[in-house]
Amino acid sequence: VQPPKKPLQAEEWNKLKESFQSPEIFEEVMFNSMVRCNSPIDVAKSLLTHVAKSNGDVAYNLLLKYLALCVQQGQASEICDVYDIMKIRFKVLESGAYNLIIKGLSNSDQWRMALTLLEEVKKMMTPSRTNYESCIKAASRHQEMNLAFELYHEMLDKDLVPTLDILHAFFDFSRGMKGAELQRELFGVLLYLRENQIYPHKTFMRSIKLWFESIPGGNWRGHLTNIKDSGQCPVCNHQLEDSDLTEEEYNNLRERIIRDVIHGTDTFRKTSPQEFEAFQTFVENRLPFDIVIDGLNVSHMKPRRMQCENLFDAVNCLAKDNARLLVLGRKHMLINSSNWRREIMKEMQNKADFFFAENISEDDAFLLYATLRSGQHCKFVTRDFLRDHKASLSDSLTRHLFRKWQRGHQISKQLFLSVFIQQPALSYDCVVQTTGDTWHIPYKDSFEEKYSYRVPRKWLCIQQQR
């Protein structure tokens, strides 16, 4: 449906409706089309008026679509009017309406009304991440940084995860501003990136660099660089933190994972306790391993090839330096089939130990157990992020150690054409780091909202010149 270019009279709307093949949904389809085509407000308003006169009132979902159009065009006074109508008519609005109204007002000179509305929402429900994002960006844009950070901390207290956009805005709008408290807050955001293993994208990284360089009297200078394999920064010669845990940290982490994750609530849902006991005995009799491979996961690496060939490539590549390998497999791999050829499986079993679990088993717990029991040197291969297990760990220190251990021990494999390229786990820790007068920030070329264990190789080094 193509919306009209100018407002229509009642009979014109009726005519259009009659010619439409499903008249009962005409208004809804027309409003959707107006939002898509960004129609002039007065055209949409003429349809709204027509509906109100014909039906005696306007349905909630039509008001919502009209509201979406007003927000799209930044029509602040119209947004306020629609909100007043909806409040009188419906008493309680759902979160979608609040998201729209708060977003619309935040982007206007009436942005303080969005804050009032946020307070109203809090009385009824937990505001959404979008509500906070709109208000934080509005406060930042108007350089009310104390207010922006107050909302940010409130959001974190409610376990809402800020988008990269919010974190980015803090640096954009604080440029050149004075104040020790503001500086402390922005350093806190950088530590939040560290704690959650978040890698800013290039544009965000540039904002961080410009903010540091704009601190009045701060004398900071930033340079883009690649860290040497030894973990030394070529710009400031500073040695980055080691990716290895101390012996005490490692033992602590191992105990916690075996207690909370492996013997915790979720492991045996898909694995029988008997099977896991058999696996423990198998591992204890063959310790230590150098590399533990999630066989099924790796076998799907290249979709167009036989699964056993993908696994065979991985085993061949990793067994080169006489490494002791453990491959976690599934029982169906032992049945000769088009994907699992018996002779290839036999050849692999000469190069690695294999444990074949039931086909329904959950193998992350097996992977973690075998790797952690083998000691600090042992690495593991999987494309999984192991996010669920991190979440099962009850305190932030253990979660931090788990991520650090994961970064240093998970070998990520990238398939480049038909060559099996192994990206070794790094000797230095790939997270935001600071010594007080230096900051090292790893960054990615492109925007990625989702969590990723693939570590970037590009860094921003920021030094305070004395």
Side-chain angles (χ1 to χ4, degrees):
V1 177
Q2 208 49 41
K5 294 278 185 279
K6 57 182 194 1
L8 302 183
Q9 297 302 320
E11 58 274 16
E12 294 173 295
W13 279 121
N14 283 331
K15 217 173 185 175
L16 262 184
K17 183 172 178 173
E18 281 159 21
S19 65
F20 187 65
Q21 64 207 68
S22 312
E24 70 283 358
I25 56 165
F26 170 74
E27 288 86 359
E28 197 169 325
V29 173
M30 182 56 82
F31 268 116
N32 283 344
S33 187
M34 286 179 180
V35 172
R36 203 173 48 248
C37 301
N38 204 17
S39 295
I41 285 293
D42 56 352
V43 176
K45 212 171 187 173
S46 80
L47 176 56
L48 215 54
T49 311
H50 169 62
V51 171
K53 283 182 179 161
S54 310
N55 304 350
D57 69 353
V58 182
Y60 184 87
N61 66 329
L62 293 186
L63 277 171
L64 205 57
K65 290 178 197 300
Y66 177 64
L67 183 61
L69 187 65
C70 297
V71 170
Q72 202 164 286
Q73 299 184 10
Q75 305 270 357
S77 62
E78 203 59 32
I79 294 167
C80 295
D81 291 349
V82 178
Y83 174 52
D84 289 339
I85 293 167
M86 290 179 96
K87 226 171 24 179
I88 295 161
R89 284 272 320 281
F90 304 105
K91 303 288 182 268
V92 177
L93 310 184
E94 42 73 63
S95 60
Y98 284 118
N99 282 353
L100 275 172
I101 298 163
I102 289 175
K103 181 183 176 184
L105 293 173
S106 298
N107 289 328
S108 74
D109 51 4
Q110 309 261 8
W111 67 277
R112 286 192 184 278
M113 276 188 67
L115 299 172
T116 313
L117 207 56
L118 183 68
E119 291 306 314
E120 270 183 49
V121 173
K122 281 186 214 167
K123 290 173 193 159
M124 296 172 283
M125 55 180 127
T126 301
S128 69
R129 158 165 112 158
T130 315
N131 297 157
Y132 276 107
E133 179 166 5
S134 300
C135 293
I136 289 171
K137 281 185 176 171
S140 301
R141 256 198 308 276
H142 293 85
Q143 301 223 309
E144 299 228 5
M145 299 316 291
N146 289 347
L147 173 59
F149 276 110
E150 201 179 300
L151 292 167
Y152 166 69
H153 290 299
E154 204 176 280
M155 183 182 181
L156 293 180
D157 290 342
K158 289 181 170 28
D159 282 335
L160 293 168
V161 178
T163 59
L164 281 184
D165 249 14
I166 293 179
L167 306 179
H168 190 171
F170 287 140
F171 290 92
D172 268 353
F173 294 110
S174 302
R175 216 169 284 166
M177 287 176 79
K178 272 197 170 112
E181 179 57 26
L182 175 65
Q183 206 166 308
R184 202 177 61 77
E185 287 285 14
L186 287 156
F187 285 166
V189 172
L190 293 175
L191 294 174
Y192 177 85
L193 297 180
R194 171 189 169 88
E195 186 53 42
N196 293 283
Q197 195 185 329
I198 297 167
Y199 303 122
H201 48 85
K202 203 184 270 177
T203 329
F204 183 2
M205 174 276 295
R206 287 212 179 99
S207 286
I208 295 172
K209 179 178 183 288
L210 290 171
W211 171 71
F212 267 102
E213 292 175 344
S214 78
I215 298 173
N219 229 5
W220 292 91
R221 283 288 159 271
H223 295 90
L224 308 189
T225 186
N226 293 315
I227 302 296
K228 295 176 184 170
D229 287 344
S230 64
Q232 190 184 40
C233 170
V235 178
C236 64
N237 296 323
H238 181 76
Q239 187 67 32
L240 293 194
E241 290 170 36
D242 201 328
S243 63
D244 281 341
L245 306 183
T246 65
E247 203 167 333
E248 188 183 348
E249 286 174 332
Y250 181 74
N251 292 335
N252 228 331
L253 178 69
R254 184 170 64 183
E255 276 167 36
R256 289 298 298 276
I257 287 188
I258 287 174
R259 190 185 78 203
D260 292 0
V261 177
I262 294 171
H263 294 310
T265 49
D266 63 341
T267 307
F268 297 124
R269 215 175 291 155
K270 293 183 184 164
T271 306
S272 71
Q274 295 79 356
E275 180 179 46
F276 199 75
E277 266 172 44
F279 175 68
Q280 284 176 295
T281 309
F282 175 91
V283 168
E284 298 302 325
N285 290 337
R286 290 167 178 77
L287 284 174
F289 296 103
D290 298 314
I291 301 173
V292 181
I293 302 168
D294 180 343
L296 196 60
N297 187 294
V298 169
S299 74
H300 289 290
M301 212 43 116
K302 290 183 80 179
R304 289 200 186 85
R305 297 182 71 209
M306 269 196 292
Q307 288 175 18
C308 61
E309 283 183 350
N310 284 334
L311 186 55
F312 187 63
D313 283 355
V315 167
N316 267 346
C317 175
L318 296 167
K320 272 182 190 146
D321 306 318
N322 294 324
R324 294 210 51 223
L325 309 183
L326 168 61
V327 180
L328 302 172
R330 293 285 212 284
K331 291 201 167 151
H332 72 258
M333 295 177 177
L334 292 168
I335 300 163
N336 198 23
S337 67
S338 58
N339 257 321
W340 297 102
R341 301 271 291 282
R342 189 164 286 150
E343 63 276 19
I344 296 180
M345 290 302 293
K346 277 221 164 74
E347 199 174 330
M348 272 193 277
Q349 282 167 278
N350 294 331
K351 299 183 177 205
D353 280 301
F354 271 73
F355 182 85
F356 296 98
E358 292 297 337
N359 294 327
I360 52 155
S361 296
E362 185 59 79
D363 47 18
D364 286 355
F366 291 79
L367 183 83
L368 289 172
Y369 182 83
T371 310
L372 285 162
R373 282 295 292 125
S374 291
Q376 274 264 43
H377 74 288
C378 185
K379 307 274 192 271
F380 64 93
V381 184
T382 179
R383 293 182 302 164
D384 280 354
F385 295 146
L386 307 178
R387 254 189 304 245
D388 298 348
H389 305 301
K390 189 193 75 215
S392 326
L393 297 164
S394 48
D395 64 290
S396 62
L397 176 65
T398 313
R399 283 197 293 273
H400 174 74
L401 290 179
F402 179 71
R403 279 200 201 91
K404 183 172 179 178
W405 174 77
Q406 184 181 359
R407 285 192 296 273
H409 290 78
Q410 183 160 3
I411 298 172
S412 68
K413 297 192 322 312
Q414 291 144 345
L415 285 176
F416 180 71
L417 299 173
S418 61
V419 186
F420 193 91
I421 299 170
Q422 188 185 328
Q423 183 185 321
L426 300 171
S427 66
Y428 54 90
D429 198 9
C430 196
V431 280
V432 172
Q433 305 187 13
T434 181
T435 60
D437 57 1
T438 68
W439 283 86
H440 288 89
I441 300 166
Y443 68 93
K444 296 205 158 182
D445 275 332
S446 54
F447 172 83
E448 270 181 41
E449 184 70 64
K450 63 182 191 301
Y451 173 85
S452 165
Y453 70 79
R454 285 207 181 88
V455 293
R457 307 307 290 262
K458 296 179 174 182
W459 290 72
L460 167 65
C461 162
I462 301 170
Q463 267 179 293
Q464 194 165 29
Q465 313 290 327
R466 292 293 177 203

